[in-house]
Amino acid sequence: MNFEDELLQDAQEDAFIVSHIQNSLPEEVRERFSEEDLYYILDVANEYFTESGVLESEADAEGFVEIDLEAAAKYVAEKAATERDTAYDIEDLELIIEAQLSYGEEEA
């Protein structure tokens, strides 16, 4: 697979994840976030997972890795405040990140 194909595949996967997030959120939360907001949050949350080392964490006996949703949400909120001059509610971000992480569980 060449680089352009990988980019296209990544973009398609992101679109599926954003759609899953939208379908998972309560309506009142979903209405506060545009699709552009969700793509931004997805990118910054992924940045947090990479930079925090959580992806290299040891899984428990059931194969799960402990993720601090509040810490991830605070990271996203701080980045959004500086990069986009946008204030997101931490609890809303926790719901979005939790929905992001739940993507793919239905197939598992």
Side-chain angles (χ1 to χ4, degrees):
M1 181 180 306
N2 67 35
F3 184 67
E4 286 183 17
D5 290 340
E6 287 181 33
L7 288 176
L8 180 59
Q9 185 176 6
D10 288 346
Q12 289 173 332
E13 185 75 8
D14 286 351
F16 289 133
I17 295 169
V18 166
S19 176
H20 171 77
I21 292 168
Q22 289 171 321
N23 291 330
S24 299
L25 294 175
E27 186 174 347
E28 65 274 4
V29 175
R30 184 175 48 243
E31 290 174 353
R32 289 193 285 268
F33 293 89
S34 70
E35 192 171 283
E36 180 182 330
D37 289 328
L38 294 177
Y39 276 104
Y40 175 78
I41 293 165
L42 175 67
D43 286 343
V44 177
N46 285 337
E47 178 182 304
Y48 169 79
F49 297 141
T50 301
E51 291 182 5
S52 70
V54 72
L55 298 178
E56 287 82 34
S57 298
E58 194 73 28
D60 65 15
E62 296 174 2
F64 294 102
V65 173
E66 184 70 31
I67 296 176
D68 185 342
L69 289 177
E70 184 177 5
K74 286 180 179 179
Y75 180 89
V76 172
E78 290 172 10
K79 289 283 274 200
T82 58
E83 292 180 350
R84 301 179 93 200
D85 196 28
T86 302
Y88 292 128
D89 181 81
I90 298 296
E91 291 176 359
D92 287 348
L93 291 174
E94 287 179 16
L95 288 173
I96 291 168
I97 294 167
E98 185 174 35
Q100 172 189 356
L101 294 171
S102 74
Y103 175 76
E105 286 183 359
E106 297 83 25
E107 294 90 34

